[in-house]
Amino acid sequence: MKHPIISPLWIWAARDLMRHPYEALLLVLSLTSLIAIMGAALLLVEAVSHEATDLLKAGPSLVVRRISGGGWVPLPKRESLQLAKSVPGVVHARTRLWGTVLGPEGPVTLFGVDQLEGDLLLAHQLSRRPAAGEAVIGHGVLSQLNQTVITLTGQETLNFKIIQILEPHTSVATHDIVLLDATDAGKLLGVPDGFASDLAIEVFHEEEEQAIVPDLAAAFPWPVRITTRREAIGSYSAGWARLGGMTGFILLPALTALALIVAGTIRDRLGRRYEVGLLKALGWTSTDLIRLQMYRAILLAMAAAACGMLSACLLVFWPGSPWAGFFLSGWQTHPAALHINASGAFWVLVQISAIIILPFLTATLWPALKGVAADPQDLLQGHER
Amino acid sequence: MKDNVIDRGLECRGVTLIHEGAGSHAQTVLQNVSARFHAGCIALITGVTGAGKSSLLHILAGLLRPSSGTVYAAGQPVSRWISAYRDLWRRKVGMLFQNPHFLYDLTALENIMLPLAPRGFDGATVRKRALTLLDQLELSQLAGRNVATLSGGQKQRLSMARALMGEPLFLLADEPTAHQDERGCRVMLQLLQAAGENEATVVIAAHDARCIQANIADDRWLLANGQLKRIE
Amino acid sequence: MIWHPLLLAVLILDSLSFFMVSAAAVTALRIVISWSPQSAEQHQIRLEVKAEVASVQVRGAGLLFVASSVLFIVAVSNVLPALVPGAMCGTGVLQACRGLGQRALAFRLLTIVIVYVWCSVDRLNRAHPDAPLTTVSGRGCLLLVPVLFLAYLDSVRAVMALDTHQPVDCCAVVYDQVRSLAPATGNLLSLPDAWMVAVFLAAGILLIVLGLRVWRAKSPPSSPLSFALTGLSLLWVPLAYLALIRVLAAYHYQVLYHHCPWCLFLADHHLVGYPLFGALAVTCLEGCVLWVGLKVARDFPQVAIPAYNRSQLAGLSIASATLLFVVLAAGPAMLWRLRFGVWM
């Protein structure tokens, strides 16, 4: 007899699933929902971290903020620039004016623009620099994008005419951004003229970032907090990774419950020891029976993984789909446009396999093991029809 | 007797089976049973109902382990083997149960394909063989029917088809002619005879007179009071 | 503590494997106490059934543990460095775990050695219908429990201790370690680098030759030859590690005096650490299996043939893994020499 490449047990496993279609469907649905929720969280984390990392890599090497007992305080522009440039290794330094203020639908990140220079990553996206009383807003600032005026509340409340809405694909960082004229921004943030929020510094080589920090700190006559690009990326990624991990932890009870239900169902099925006994009497080995059980579980898991990951991708990447961002990070308005990357999706799949699919397969295998090793007659006994 | 094939047969030496009952009550079903069943021969074991014929067949088939004693198949002590090896050895055995066992939500055809399902054979070939056997047992029109809808005689013949699916070296039939009409009885006995002619070791346990009168057995045994005696 | 999903995955897989091994250990204990292969009593029959279940449980647990260990290494070397301030590679991450990461890795390695050897013994056990190695296998399972527990415990503690706020200094750790190696290992490390590489290469070639001889042996491989191969493979692994880190890694990094093992796992260096250390692990594991195979063949004649066959296969595996390591480790150095005409 010919031996096919794919084991016929796969076909029998599928046939076996069809014997109890509702049970199989319910298992697939519960597993799919777990994978979809977990997958959405991990894909969101992966996509946002990826975009943010790219963004931060294009940002300054070091950021210097002046601090005091009460938190950060504005630093004087001219003096800070002079002091920073006096440190050997600093190639370029510029001041930035930014902060958070209250928008009509929640907090927004405010940037003061006094000239369209290279440090503003989306300079090429702007049709023109906002003048006094004008604003350029990100796609996620307002839910009704047809408004022409935006009200911002900081140290005082001001209205601005919207002259441009940034395209959603621009960058995830521009999602909740509002660009204003530097003077307007200063008024809202309570930063006086001639002062800035922080200092962006470029160094010659990436390896120097960490080395230059002590010299830079010593150069300023007031206390400063200096963040390297690597630290910024790390802290941003860590924050998002924590969200993914926490989602996993939150889902653990659900996963445990599912595993217990699966184990219980299979124990119940094998509780019909008659079937196992009959198959063993017909020449099925314990290994065959375990394989059948595993193939059944793998077929269910594959279907659930495919549906779950597809749902997760739709939740996170489908244009305009707000669910993942809304539930996981409280995005209230238009969702940021995120982009899938192959290696990120691969690692998400690996993590889902380890966190959900392997425990599911173990829960399947566990009771199966108990049932299949007994002698057939012991299993058949008392079940004669 | 065909001495040239003796080593490929079945043998039990000093087999005892004690059923543990409730409390301290234990029932001795088989006591120190020793017998040889030769390859290519048909052995018929008779005895009254409850004599232990089915238990002996189950022990010979590796479905049940004796309380003591050993079963040898082709000279190998199969009853002492660990379960994984007995599982594999059981593939060489075709078992016809007294009370037919089936998966009742599968069709007749699927049920008789079951023995070959895990052995990696091509599905079309297995299906073809199953249909041939169904045809031999005059059951081909029932291939797609659910087993639960079949009569007792049909189930018994289906059970025979399933036992023959794996071309067994050892064919053990427990009351093969039960629930059969004359025609069905003849078909069953012919198939058992054919298996013996193909050098399989055939052991039949029966108390049906038709089976005894058919005179197909090379060896006859009587099981009574847990003892197996050869009838000369 | 950082709630990274990859670490969560590692801990879940570890928990599952520990749970499975613990369940198997209960059976193993019964096997060690009352295994009686000649008995046909219900107790023995039940124990035989449970022994088969335990065998599958330990094998499953081993697979899960290996998967979790790979994920752990990926997390340490490729994922977490981005999250730990100052960490350029796994060295910084382990430093951020306050020393518990190294211990977790050491116990993990030991667990994998025991699981691997156990699986080889179990396979030999299943090669005979009487399962003559069941009690040996049971003892192995009992030995596995505490080691796996320590690996699990230290992994949990390392993950809990991981500090992503305190900056670390990778390079300082590496240089400290290399300096402290000299007094610890005495004369071997005081050898000039050229001698160390020469000994490493000569021993590697000898290992390949001996491995192939064991593999090609028509009759069962002779004990002296096989034991020599086992001993040499176990000695060669630390020597190869030192030669790689002290001398040959420089050609991978193209930087003098960068003795970091973890940087080899970075994508910047083509992830070469995975095949390199994988080959070392195979050499070490197969060296152990070769010895175990010979011992089993001598003490359990029922499974002598499969045990000899396994030993021969171990010879081939050692030769292949050694060849892979030598080519991958020394290849860049040879290319450098051919390109520039001098050693670094």
Side-chain angles (χ1 to χ4, degrees):
Chain A
M1 288 192 188
K2 284 185 289 184
H3 290 263
I5 297 165
I6 298 173
S7 165
L9 264 187
W10 284 103
I11 296 161
W12 282 98
R15 177 69 183 90
D16 200 38
L17 283 174
M18 295 310 293
R19 290 172 66 202
H20 310 279
Y22 298 114
E23 182 190 304
L25 191 65
L26 277 174
L27 272 176
V28 169
L29 282 177
S30 18
L31 202 55
T32 299
S33 51
L34 266 180
I35 291 174
I37 297 169
M38 186 79 197
L42 295 180
L43 281 173
L44 184 74
V45 167
E46 176 61 36
V48 173
S49 301
H50 192 256
E51 299 254 355
T53 304
D54 283 353
L55 201 70
L56 288 167
K57 276 181 183 164
S61 304
L62 297 160
V63 174
V64 180
R65 302 199 85 174
R66 181 180 173 183
I67 51 173
S68 72
W72 75 273
V73 287
L75 39 76
K77 280 187 187 178
R78 191 174 298 167
E79 190 186 352
S80 333
L81 283 173
Q82 278 174 353
L83 290 168
K85 285 176 181 169
S86 67
V87 176
V90 172
V91 173
H92 179 68
R94 63 181 187 275
T95 54
R96 302 191 302 185
L97 180 60
W98 70 281
T100 51
V101 295
L102 191 63
E105 297 176 23
V108 295
T109 307
L110 184 68
F111 258 87
V113 189
D114 45 12
Q115 54 186 15
L116 287 183
E117 56 177 49
D119 67 295
L120 196 57
L121 290 165
L122 41 93
H124 62 284
Q125 295 287 335
L126 297 179
S127 49
R128 66 179 173 85
R129 186 173 77 84
E134 291 180 340
V136 173
I137 64 168
H139 189 255
V141 172
L142 293 172
S143 49
Q144 299 295 320
L145 294 175
N146 54 0
Q147 293 179 31
T148 53
V149 175
I150 183 169
T151 307
L152 299 173
T153 307
Q155 296 295 314
E156 49 191 290
T157 300
L158 297 171
N159 290 328
F160 296 94
K161 183 186 170 197
I162 300 169
I163 59 162
Q164 187 185 349
I165 297 170
L166 295 168
E167 292 296 320
H169 64 262
T170 314
S171 161
V172 71
T174 65
H175 183 67
D176 68 340
I177 205 170
V178 175
L179 303 178
L180 298 178
D181 172 69
T183 315
D184 288 343
K187 279 184 203 167
L188 279 170
L189 294 169
V191 177
D193 269 352
F195 281 78
S197 308
D198 61 22
L199 202 56
I201 290 173
E202 298 295 343
V203 294
F204 182 69
H205 195 275
E206 192 186 347
E207 306 295 325
E208 292 173 15
E209 281 174 14
Q210 194 71 44
I212 209 170
V213 169
D215 295 345
L216 206 53
F220 293 98
W222 53 78
V224 289
R225 174 173 167 73
I226 301 169
T227 311
T228 64
R229 180 174 13 213
R230 200 177 168 81
E231 281 168 3
I233 292 173
S235 112
Y236 200 75
S237 303
W240 279 95
R242 196 169 294 121
L243 172 67
M246 289 303 285
T247 312
F249 270 100
I250 290 164
L251 287 181
L252 270 185
L255 176 65
T256 312
L258 181 67
L260 287 174
I261 291 166
V262 169
T265 311
I266 288 160
R267 190 169 45 234
D268 194 35
R269 170 184 295 279
L270 295 170
R272 282 182 265 156
R273 295 152 54 95
Y274 171 76
E275 284 188 18
V276 177
L278 174 59
L279 292 175
K280 287 197 85 172
L282 296 180
W284 287 53
T285 63
S286 304
T287 312
D288 294 333
L289 287 161
I290 292 169
R291 273 170 59 208
L292 182 74
Q293 205 61 47
M294 284 301 288
Y295 291 170
R296 271 171 46 94
I298 288 170
L299 287 175
L300 287 174
M302 275 173 23
C307 296
M309 285 301 286
L310 189 65
S311 313
C313 284
L314 291 178
L315 283 172
V316 177
F317 299 114
W318 186 259
S321 169
W323 302 104
F326 174 72
F327 281 116
L328 296 166
S329 48
W331 291 347
Q332 297 285 341
T333 55
H334 289 275
L338 300 168
H339 306 98
I340 193 164
N341 72 84
S343 74
F346 169 75
W347 281 111
V348 167
L349 202 57
V350 167
Q351 286 164 25
I352 282 182
S353 303
I355 295 172
I356 297 179
I357 295 176
L358 283 176
F360 169 76
L361 294 180
T362 310
T364 307
L365 183 66
W366 190 264
L369 281 178
K370 300 277 178 193
V372 299
D375 273 334
Q377 185 58 28
D378 292 342
L379 301 167
L380 283 171
Q381 233 160 25
H383 291 280
E384 277 86 8
R385 291 207 184 194
Chain B
M1 189 188 294
K2 304 177 183 181
D3 284 332
N4 57 329
V5 287
I6 194 166
D7 284 338
R8 289 194 282 115
L10 271 175
E11 183 180 356
C12 48
R13 284 189 208 158
V15 165
T16 298
L17 179 68
I18 300 168
H19 272 168
E20 303 291 340
S24 58
H25 179 72
Q27 184 198 355
T28 304
V29 182
L30 299 171
Q31 178 128 38
N32 201 22
V33 169
S34 296
R36 272 186 177 181
F37 307 104
H38 303 289
C41 293
I42 298 177
L44 176 67
I45 302 172
T46 55
V48 294
T49 304
K53 302 189 294 293
S54 297
S55 296
L56 179 59
L57 282 200
H58 289 167
I59 288 173
L60 290 173
L63 305 180
L64 184 62
R65 286 217 264 193
S67 306
S68 64
T70 310
V71 175
Y72 293 86
Q76 297 294 319
V78 290
S79 66
R80 306 219 58 87
W81 285 356
I82 55 168
S83 154
Y85 275 81
R86 276 185 299 119
D87 286 350
L88 283 174
W89 173 75
R90 217 177 284 120
R91 288 184 169 183
K92 296 175 182 173
V93 179
M95 179 76 199
L96 183 70
F97 292 98
Q98 183 178 9
N99 299 303
H101 293 288
F102 292 103
L103 297 185
Y104 284 90
D105 45 2
L106 296 185
T107 64
L109 181 65
E110 285 171 332
N111 261 289
I112 62 169
M113 286 166 74
L114 277 174
L116 295 191
R119 301 192 204 178
F121 297 128
D122 170 46
T125 318
V126 174
R127 191 183 165 84
K128 195 173 157 192
R129 173 160 174 75
L131 287 170
T132 309
L133 279 168
L134 282 178
D135 197 37
Q136 281 178 20
L137 284 148
E138 300 169 0
L139 292 170
S140 39
Q141 74 283 7
L142 303 177
R145 282 260 296 273
N146 193 300
V147 182
T149 63
L150 302 184
S151 72
Q154 286 168 333
K155 281 180 193 165
Q156 192 69 351
R157 276 186 281 156
L158 199 62
S159 192
M160 172 64 102
R162 191 179 59 191
L164 292 170
M165 265 304 276
E167 297 175 337
L169 295 176
F170 309 97
L171 182 58
L172 308 171
D174 197 356
E175 303 291 358
T177 53
H179 314 296
Q180 299 297 325
D181 57 15
E182 287 308 317
R183 186 177 167 78
C185 179
R186 204 166 49 244
V187 171
M188 295 290 264
L189 292 173
Q190 274 171 0
L191 282 171
L192 288 169
Q193 218 164 357
E197 283 163 9
N198 285 335
E199 301 300 330
T201 304
V202 182
V203 183
I204 304 169
H207 71 283
D208 182 356
R210 291 177 301 177
C211 207
I212 299 162
Q213 286 159 7
N215 207 22
I216 61 166
D218 299 298
D219 297 318
R220 286 188 181 194
W221 302 80
L222 176 68
L223 186 61
N225 303 321
Q227 309 270 345
L228 188 66
K229 285 181 187 148
R230 188 164 182 177
I231 305 170
E232 296 298 337
Chain C
M1 166 80 195
I2 177 173
W3 303 88
H4 197 283
L6 205 53
L7 295 177
L8 179 64
V10 169
L11 295 187
I12 287 178
L13 293 183
D14 280 354
S15 308
L16 283 175
S17 56
F18 181 66
F19 177 58
M20 290 172 86
V21 167
S22 302
V26 176
T27 304
L29 188 62
R30 288 188 192 156
I31 287 171
V32 171
I33 293 169
S34 60
W35 182 255
S36 166
Q38 296 309 311
S39 163
E41 286 178 15
Q42 282 303 308
H43 167 75
Q44 172 64 16
I45 290 171
R46 272 199 290 270
L47 201 52
E48 284 179 17
V49 169
K50 281 176 185 290
E52 281 192 45
V53 172
S55 157
V56 181
Q57 282 169 339
V58 178
R59 278 181 281 155
L63 271 178
L64 292 178
F65 190 77
V66 169
S68 82
S69 298
V70 171
L71 287 183
F72 189 69
I73 290 173
V74 169
V76 167
S77 54
N78 299 98
V79 177
L80 297 175
L83 309 183
V84 176
M88 311 297 282
C89 65
T91 304
V93 175
L94 293 181
Q95 191 191 358
C97 294
R98 297 179 206 151
L100 289 162
Q102 285 96 331
R103 272 179 50 172
L105 277 172
F107 280 123
R108 277 181 177 275
L109 188 63
L110 187 58
T111 306
I112 289 172
V113 170
I114 296 175
V115 166
Y116 194 79
V117 171
W118 185 92
C119 285
S120 304
V121 171
D122 183 62
R123 178 166 283 206
L124 293 177
N125 190 33
R126 284 182 287 118
H128 193 275
D130 292 338
L133 295 164
T134 307
T135 46
V136 177
S137 180
R139 276 185 228 123
C141 180
L142 289 178
L143 174 67
L144 180 60
V145 178
V147 182
L148 178 61
F149 176 72
L150 289 173
Y152 177 43
L153 185 70
D154 271 347
S155 301
V156 173
R157 291 176 64 202
V159 169
M160 300 297 274
L162 184 62
D163 188 350
T164 53
H165 302 293
Q166 193 69 31
V168 295
D169 192 346
C170 265
C171 297
V173 173
V174 171
Y175 293 125
D176 281 353
Q177 279 175 351
V178 172
R179 269 205 305 273
S180 62
L181 278 175
T185 47
N187 289 334
L188 180 63
L189 274 177
S190 60
L191 278 175
D193 289 347
W195 277 104
M196 182 188 287
V197 174
V199 173
F200 150 72
L201 282 177
I205 291 165
L206 187 60
L207 209 50
I208 294 168
V209 172
L210 286 180
L212 291 176
R213 277 200 63 184
V214 166
W215 175 53
R216 299 295 293 170
K218 287 201 171 67
S219 54
S222 70
S223 291
L225 175 67
S226 304
F227 284 123
L229 183 56
T230 296
L232 187 60
S233 65
L234 295 180
L235 283 174
W236 184 77
V237 168
L239 177 69
Y241 173 79
L242 289 173
L244 173 68
I245 297 308
R246 283 186 65 89
V247 185
L248 299 169
Y251 294 92
H252 288 271
Y253 301 136
Q254 306 207 336
V255 175
L256 271 175
Y257 307 117
H258 187 59
H259 306 296
C260 179
W262 287 98
C263 285
L264 290 167
F265 288 89
L266 297 177
D268 293 349
H269 303 297
H270 314 292
L271 308 171
V272 73
Y274 289 99
L276 273 173
F277 287 96
L280 275 189
V282 170
T283 307
C284 173
L285 294 172
E286 290 291 325
C288 297
V289 167
L290 177 63
W291 177 77
V292 168
L294 289 172
K295 182 133 179 60
V296 166
R298 207 170 51 191
D299 296 347
F300 298 90
Q302 306 100 304
V303 288
I305 292 172
Y308 281 131
N309 290 343
R310 183 66 187 86
S311 297
Q312 286 185 306
L313 191 64
L316 176 65
S317 304
I318 290 171
S320 313
T322 307
L323 182 65
L324 177 68
F325 184 88
V326 169
V327 169
L328 283 179
M334 300 304 293
L335 285 176
W336 180 279
R337 170 79 190 183
L338 288 172
R339 220 169 130 197
F340 300 110
V342 287
W343 299 111
M344 199 184 262

